[in-house]
Amino acid sequence: MNQSAKLKAACTPGLRVAIELGGLNDKAPSIVIGGDPSKYILLKEPMVHPNDKSIWSEYLYPGNEATVRYIFEGVASGFKTSIIKLINSPDKILFLKYPNRVETYNLRRHRRINCFLEAEIMIGEQKTLAIVEDLSSSGCGITYLKDDNSFFPEIGDDVKIFCPYFIENDKGFIPCKVQRATKDTRKIALGLTFDKPAPEILVKIQDYVATVLQHSI
């Protein structure tokens, strides 16, 4: 996809994104409403907890820097821009300066780290305690104890991962597909790829992996 197509895709109505503002060490989800090529991109007001609204409002001023990240057609993308204006009527809409360039990258190029993160995996209606043992921006390796009631998924099956390190509420999850499945007498091991996770979750995973890699140098 050339830059012209990437820039056009960034204006896709309904595109779910994560936005980060200059001076604010936090990220929030939002949704693209549309845009006018070469002029601006329209986003809904960032969705933040009511207790954080006053803090965010201090940084939603014209000229402040903004970084927007998202996944489009399975490709992680993002761009840097600045705020034009936030209007409050008839709806709260954020005007962002149209970016000069959109960066994209193949998630599978990202390095995988070893880790030990508590999680839960849901296979069908069965939820089981599990451990994430390796992680990258494109997927993870996860294991859980085997018993007589354990469900053993097949390659290509859909599963859900609940991991409090990357998800703030009880209803959030990371959608995955099974790429590898093995078992022995005591545990089941799965190799999973993330299946279009929410941008804000992907950003947290990317930041976690980058931090571990940085401290391992």
Side-chain angles (χ1 to χ4, degrees):
M1 185 182 293
N2 58 34
Q3 271 300 315
S4 177
K6 291 177 183 178
L7 290 166
K8 184 178 180 180
C11 295
T12 302
L15 181 66
R16 298 169 63 192
V17 303
I19 182 169
E20 181 178 358
L21 302 179
L24 185 60
N25 187 26
D26 198 5
K27 307 171 185 68
S30 184
I31 298 175
V32 174
I33 299 173
D36 189 345
S38 78
K39 292 184 179 180
Y40 54 78
I41 292 178
L42 302 177
L43 268 63
K44 289 187 176 182
E45 180 188 27
M47 294 173 278
V48 299
H49 191 277
N51 294 340
D52 297 329
K53 278 187 175 292
S54 60
I55 298 175
W56 271 78
S57 64
E58 295 179 10
Y59 293 89
L60 289 168
Y61 59 83
N64 193 19
E65 295 179 349
T67 301
V68 178
R69 287 182 263 193
Y70 54 93
I71 297 176
F72 184 79
E73 294 184 347
V75 177
S77 306
F79 58 84
K80 292 184 180 296
T81 183
S82 60
I83 295 174
I84 297 176
K85 189 177 183 179
L86 173 68
I87 66 170
N88 294 300
S89 179
D91 290 308
K92 290 190 175 183
I93 299 174
L94 184 62
F95 285 71
L96 298 179
K97 185 178 179 181
Y98 199 80
N100 294 321
R101 183 176 182 83
V102 171
E103 299 294 337
T104 59
Y105 47 91
N106 187 337
L107 297 178
R108 290 175 182 168
R109 294 176 184 171
H110 282 208
R111 291 174 59 186
R112 187 173 294 268
I113 62 168
N114 294 323
C115 57
F116 190 88
L117 303 177
E118 294 182 0
E120 288 184 313
I121 182 170
M122 178 172 279
I123 305 170
E125 298 299 321
Q126 185 184 71
K127 185 182 284 190
T128 305
L129 292 175
I131 298 295
V132 178
E133 296 188 343
D134 61 67
L135 178 70
S136 76
S137 294
S138 60
C140 66
I142 193 167
T143 62
Y144 54 96
L145 294 178
K146 176 187 173 185
D147 59 34
D148 294 338
N149 298 317
S150 295
F151 187 82
F152 185 63
E154 298 181 356
I155 305 299
D157 280 355
D158 294 321
V159 301
K160 297 176 181 179
I161 298 296
F162 301 80
C163 187
Y165 294 89
F166 311 117
I167 299 170
E168 296 180 354
N169 59 72
D170 295 336
K171 296 182 180 179
F173 63 89
I174 307 172
C176 303
K177 285 190 177 295
V178 177
Q179 299 294 324
R180 171 179 53 82
T182 60
K183 60 182 176 179
D184 56 28
T185 56
R186 56 181 296 271
K187 69 178 181 178
I188 294 173
L190 304 179
L192 307 175
T193 56
F194 300 140
D195 187 21
K196 299 180 181 179
E200 60 271 21
I201 294 176
L202 177 61
V203 167
K204 291 181 180 180
I205 293 173
Q206 291 171 339
D207 288 347
Y208 182 88
V209 173
T211 299
V212 173
L213 289 174
Q214 181 180 2
H215 286 84
S216 65
I217 298 176

